Amino acid sequence: MRPRYIFSLLICLLIVGALSAFYSTNFVLVDVLNMSGGVKNVDFISTIPALLVAVDFVLLAMFSIRAMLRPKCFRRMASLYLIYLGVISLIGFVFSILSGIVVYGSFTSDYPFYGYSIGAMILHFALFLLSIILKVIVSRAIGVEDKAMKVNASYALYSGIMFFLVFFAFNRLGAFLFSIEYVSYSTLYMTFPMYIYLLVPPALLLYFALPIIKRFKESEKTKLIYIWIVFSANIVLGGAVIAVGWNNPLFISAVSPAAPLGRIASMPIETIFQITFLFIITIVCAIRQTIAYRKKSREILQ
């Protein structure tokens, strides 16, 4: 399959995964908010199957990008990610059963929607079986020419950071896509920077995905300009959100579906985290990209 088709598939994956990540994360945070109010319950069990579906999308996105960038590692990498899928699906299956028995007392409960528990149970079990079947097929197809990824402490740390970045980017894009349902037009004059700021994490994620397109991969200048734009957008928009939303109950309330933790802390805590997290990643990427661009420029001159 050609890279541009893979890239189009990734865009579709990003949209579906974003909706799943935002929905499941808010599903989890509802229980967090209840527990912060002193409510003791086991409802969090029911949120795990939905959250793990979002995790599946994140892992699929990571695998797709890495497989395109390292085609010689495709089969061995697929074998590893299928193990991840199998383990996650088995956990999701178990918690789907517990959701129906312990939390709702029925597999066809109306909350959070009709048939959630049984639907999640069927989905996770189907993915578990699929992971086993594909694992067997891929394992038999692995040859001596297939290279294995070198896994060390730094690679494991990098993978962990990338997983969190992908999930966070999915969640923020989902918040943006869902904003049409909860945006308050009477307060849009002060909240619009927040909604635009939701697009910065997905923009950073695209920086890692765009190199699968040959033209972007070969242009160090284009990558350099792009990452500095993302870096600047993070600082400017994040700063604007913090300046407007700090100790502003009206702002916090208006954007609470996209930033539910802000209501607990009475400040835009998600934005503070986002601007810090993205600052660290973008400045590292920008510095590395600047060095790569200068190195290539010197090679051209020589």
Side-chain angles (χ1 to χ4, degrees):
M1 188 178 291
R2 295 181 179 179
R4 64 173 177 269
Y5 296 142
I6 292 291
F7 188 74
S8 299
L9 179 62
L10 283 173
I11 294 297
C12 296
L13 177 63
L14 177 64
I15 294 174
V16 178
L19 298 176
S20 175
F22 178 70
Y23 176 82
S24 63
T25 303
N26 276 25
F27 196 16
V28 171
L29 289 177
V30 167
D31 290 329
V32 173
L33 290 170
N34 288 336
M35 293 176 70
S36 68
V39 178
K40 305 296 183 182
N41 56 48
V42 293
D43 287 354
F44 73 92
I45 291 175
S46 65
T47 67
I48 294 177
L51 185 64
L52 292 180
V53 171
V55 170
D56 287 338
F57 279 108
V58 171
L59 291 177
L60 181 56
M62 290 180 64
F63 167 73
S64 300
I65 296 173
R66 285 179 164 177
M68 283 300 300
L69 294 176
R70 300 176 179 86
K72 292 184 179 180
C73 302
F74 178 84
R75 291 188 181 90
R76 293 188 184 275
M77 197 182 302
S79 179
L80 177 61
Y81 275 81
L82 285 170
I83 294 175
Y84 295 156
L85 176 62
V87 172
I88 291 171
S89 299
L90 183 59
I91 295 173
F93 176 70
V94 172
F95 276 93
S96 297
I97 296 175
L98 292 175
S99 297
I101 297 175
V102 177
V103 180
Y104 301 127
S106 170
F107 288 101
T108 56
S109 171
D110 292 333
Y111 186 82
F113 52 82
Y114 180 77
Y116 165 76
S117 297
I118 192 170
M121 184 174 65
I122 293 172
L123 174 61
H124 282 293
F125 185 70
L127 290 174
F128 176 69
L129 291 179
L130 180 64
S131 68
I132 295 176
I133 295 171
L134 292 179
K135 169 66 176 174
V136 173
I137 295 173
V138 170
S139 296
R140 290 178 177 177
I142 293 176
V144 293
E145 72 281 0
D146 294 302
K147 294 184 178 181
M149 295 290 298
K150 293 182 179 180
V151 179
N152 50 37
S154 60
Y155 181 80
L157 177 61
Y158 173 78
S159 296
I161 294 173
M162 283 302 301
F163 173 84
F164 189 83
L165 172 62
V166 175
F167 191 94
F168 188 65
F170 274 28
N171 176 272
R172 298 294 80 190
L173 179 61
F176 176 81
L177 295 175
F178 265 112
S179 64
I180 192 172
E181 295 292 330
Y182 60 79
V183 64
S184 175
Y185 295 100
S186 62
T187 57
L188 188 59
Y189 69 94
M190 67 174 176
T191 59
F192 76 91
M194 172 66 179
Y195 298 117
I196 299 175
Y197 190 46
L198 293 173
L199 296 176
V200 176
L204 176 58
L205 180 60
L206 283 178
Y207 171 77
F208 295 96
L210 284 174
I212 66 176
I213 298 178
K214 185 177 180 181
R215 184 180 302 175
F216 186 89
K217 183 178 182 179
E218 294 178 348
S219 177
E220 298 295 340
K221 184 177 181 180
T222 302
K223 289 188 286 185
L224 178 62
I225 294 173
Y226 184 88
I227 192 61
W228 278 112
I229 289 175
V230 175
F231 173 83
S232 301
N234 179 51
I235 298 299
V236 174
L237 291 173
V241 172
I242 292 175
V244 176
W246 193 267
N247 289 328
N248 187 337
L250 181 60
F251 177 91
I252 297 298
S253 177
V255 302
S256 61
L261 293 179
R263 177 170 289 183
I264 300 176
S266 298
M267 64 178 67
I269 191 169
E270 283 92 349
T271 301
I272 296 172
F273 168 79
Q274 179 174 325
I275 194 172
T276 305
F277 179 60
L278 266 60
F279 175 83
I280 295 172
I281 296 179
T282 53
I283 194 63
V284 171
C285 291
I287 292 173
R288 292 182 61 184
Q289 196 60 57
T290 301
I291 294 172
Y293 173 70
R294 289 181 176 178
K295 182 178 179 180
K296 189 170 184 178
S297 299
R298 285 196 297 267
E299 290 175 354
I300 293 174
L301 292 174
Q302 292 176 356

